[in-house]
Amino acid sequence: MTSVLPQSAAALVDPQGRTIRYLRISVTDRCDLRCRYCMAEQMTFLPRAKLLSLDEIAIIAERFIARGVTKIRLSGGEPLVRRDVGDLVRRLGRHVGAGLDELTMTTNATRLDQHAQEMVDAGIRRINVSLDSLDAERFRYITRHGDLDQVLRGIAAAKAAGLAVKINMVALAGLNEAEIPAMLRWCVEEGHDLSLIETMPLGAIDEDRTDRFVPLTRVLADLQTQFALHRDAHRTGGPARYWRVEGTATKLGLISPLTANFCDGCNRVRLTTEGKLYLCLGHDDQVDLKAALRDGGIDGLDAAIDLGLTRKPARHDFRIGRDAAPAVARHMSVTGG
Ligand code: SAM
Ligand code: SF4
């Protein structure tokens, strides 16, 4: 199918007056790891017949670009386990600088050494890599299967290829909380940014997230005793707040949807690998873009996107605590983190 980009259409503005400029795409719900806060050990993944084809993902993404989206993040699950992801990266990469300001990816880096160069060639400049520990045993425990050396090789390959790397670390009480200052020091040495994330109540896992929840207010107070941190005005329209580590190139991000709610400036929507457009990570409101595209072509797709926008909730409603059910039943890997 040909690109849908030339046919521009109305900008994406929701009932709260927020303009949508950021699309996250979960290209697969599958993953080669099983991080304890993200997935249960036994997961049921979508049958392949239900997935959007790569062409359909690209058509939907290009329609969002035509309607004003300037940033796309490929995520999952683990995006690099989808066999044809390189083709998607190349196709969407053609729009970087021509509608799209940024194409990026969040990955666990287990296969990054094989993909880093093709990402750079396609126009990707920055990526996020999940790394919850620099201790090989703890890393294996948290991910259930992960090999730290393999991930570090992937990160090194990304750096060598010229990709800027932001490390994502979910703060977990009794697991990696004490390691956070060391992780920040490592990021400073390696020239990476670091984003710390509060564990969010998304999907059933084998543990009670309350046991592992760390409010990032506590982490920040601890880091401020060891680092000179200066507030940075940088905003991405998400729940992150940023600090600069004095005398370094490293930016520290705190993603705290539980202890702070920044939904007022939300500029993003999320496409699942099954073709559903979720309007908020923490709500079940969605529209089926796969059906709309298959039944109604680009006009059907536009109508479904417009309908979806009218359903974008004003704010999420995350709570964490004893007996609090997950805010939504689907895992982060379905919606695309
Ligand atoms: N597999 C890739 C990775 O791990 O980077 C991309 C998908 S993963 C779902 C995206 C991000 O979401 C990761 O940084 C991961 O740590 C985070 N994440 C997953 N489940 C989470 C949860 N329940 N609460 C907070 N962050 C979560
Ligand atoms: Fe996989 Fe990423 Fe979830 Fe870990 S956080 S299980 S790497 S999708």
Side-chain angles (χ1 to χ4, degrees), residues 184-203:
L184 182 55
R185 238 166 255 124
W186 180 78
C187 286
V188 166
E189 282 162 20
E190 293 293 320
H192 304 320
D193 289 337
L194 174 64
S195 275
L196 301 172
I197 305 175
E198 285 177 352
T199 177
M200 296 173 225
L202 303 172

Side-chain angles (χ1 to χ4, degrees), residues 31 33-35 37-39 77-78 108 333:
C31 188
L33 301 181
R34 292 287 184 279
C35 302
Y37 55 81
C38 178
M39 293 190 182
E78 173 46 41
N108 65 22
S333 47

